[in-house]
Amino acid sequence: MRYGVMVAWSGMPDNAWDEARHEGIRKACGYLDAAIYELKLSIGDDTEPLDIRAYDPELWEHVKGLVQDEDWGKVASQTAIFVENHVREWAGNPTDKKGEPLYSNVLWQTVLADDSEFRLGQRSAEWQGWRSLGIGFSLALRNVDVHRIQRRDDAKRYAIGVLGLGSLLLTQLRYEHSEILNEE
């Protein structure tokens, strides 16, 4: 930032230095305001994520009270439970050979199998990618958040990330298969 005149000349008005300093201060304030605005966009405020319209509406309805209470551990675990429950119900409550309900990675492997009517994507690599994403959601996030309480310094960021991934999986299933999902 420049807070003075660039070139001084004879006959320069006495207030030129003051005006240059004020102009520099105005520019600095503008940069600071823009930086604060960008930070607010990137991390949201303390009560809600950036834009609730970005999340699956049913999932958001399920966790919004927890978000408002800033109960980030429960946001993550309830997101995982909600997503798995919805996928299971949408797929007609699939069971294993013993008649037991499928859960965790086995649910995703079955529901998003290459020959499943619920597979996501248009070609083999995409099918595999979406299936891996679902399995990863289950193994990396669901298991840890459902089986133990996490104490993290970044609990909010983590919970919003889990919420985002869960929402993405639900959104893609609705986008590609809304006509066959067992929704009431």
Side-chain angles (χ1 to χ4, degrees):
M1 300 296 328
R2 296 191 191 276
Y3 297 95
V5 294
M6 296 276 294
V7 177
W9 67 93
S10 66
M12 186 171 74
D14 292 337
N15 66 348
W17 288 99
D18 287 337
E19 286 181 25
R21 185 170 48 85
H22 288 125
E23 179 60 26
I25 291 170
R26 279 191 294 275
K27 272 189 170 180
C29 289
Y31 285 131
L32 288 171
D33 287 343
I36 291 168
Y37 178 76
E38 286 290 324
L39 283 171
K40 284 182 179 179
L41 283 179
S42 67
I43 62 173
D45 61 28
D46 288 340
T47 59
E48 289 188 358
L50 177 59
D51 184 353
I52 63 171
R53 296 169 299 173
Y55 298 103
D56 177 84
E58 286 182 60
L59 174 57
W60 176 252
E61 198 57 38
H62 185 72
V63 299
K64 77 176 179 182
L66 298 170
V67 171
Q68 290 165 345
D69 293 343
E70 297 185 22
D71 196 344
W72 303 117
K74 287 182 183 171
V75 169
S77 65
Q78 286 301 305
T79 295
I81 291 167
F82 182 91
V83 170
E84 184 172 303
N85 184 70
H86 260 58
V87 169
R88 184 182 301 105
E89 287 179 357
W90 286 347
N93 295 303
T95 58
D96 63 15
K97 293 176 184 176
K98 297 177 187 176
E100 297 292 320
L102 299 181
Y103 61 93
S104 191
N105 60 314
V106 177
L107 175 68
W108 290 102
Q109 287 170 347
T110 303
V111 172
L112 299 182
D114 286 355
D115 60 351
S116 168
E117 65 182 335
F118 296 103
R119 72 178 181 225
L120 296 172
Q122 301 301 310
R123 49 178 52 143
S124 179
E126 294 172 20
W127 303 339
Q128 182 181 356
W130 281 105
R131 184 172 50 252
S132 295
L133 197 57
I135 291 168
F137 178 80
S138 182
L139 294 177
L141 305 177
R142 177 206 172 273
N143 282 343
V144 70
D145 292 318
V146 172
H147 296 296
R148 68 178 176 271
I149 296 171
Q150 293 197 75
R151 302 200 194 301
R152 305 173 58 122
D153 293 337
D154 63 346
K156 177 180 179 180
R157 180 173 289 136
Y158 174 81
I160 297 300
V162 173
L163 182 60
L165 179 53
S167 182
L168 174 64
L169 290 163
L170 295 175
T171 298
Q172 192 66 19
L173 279 161
R174 281 194 172 110
Y175 175 76
E176 291 193 37
H177 301 300
S178 62
E179 71 285 349
I180 61 171
L181 298 178
N182 292 319
E183 290 190 285
E184 294 180 13

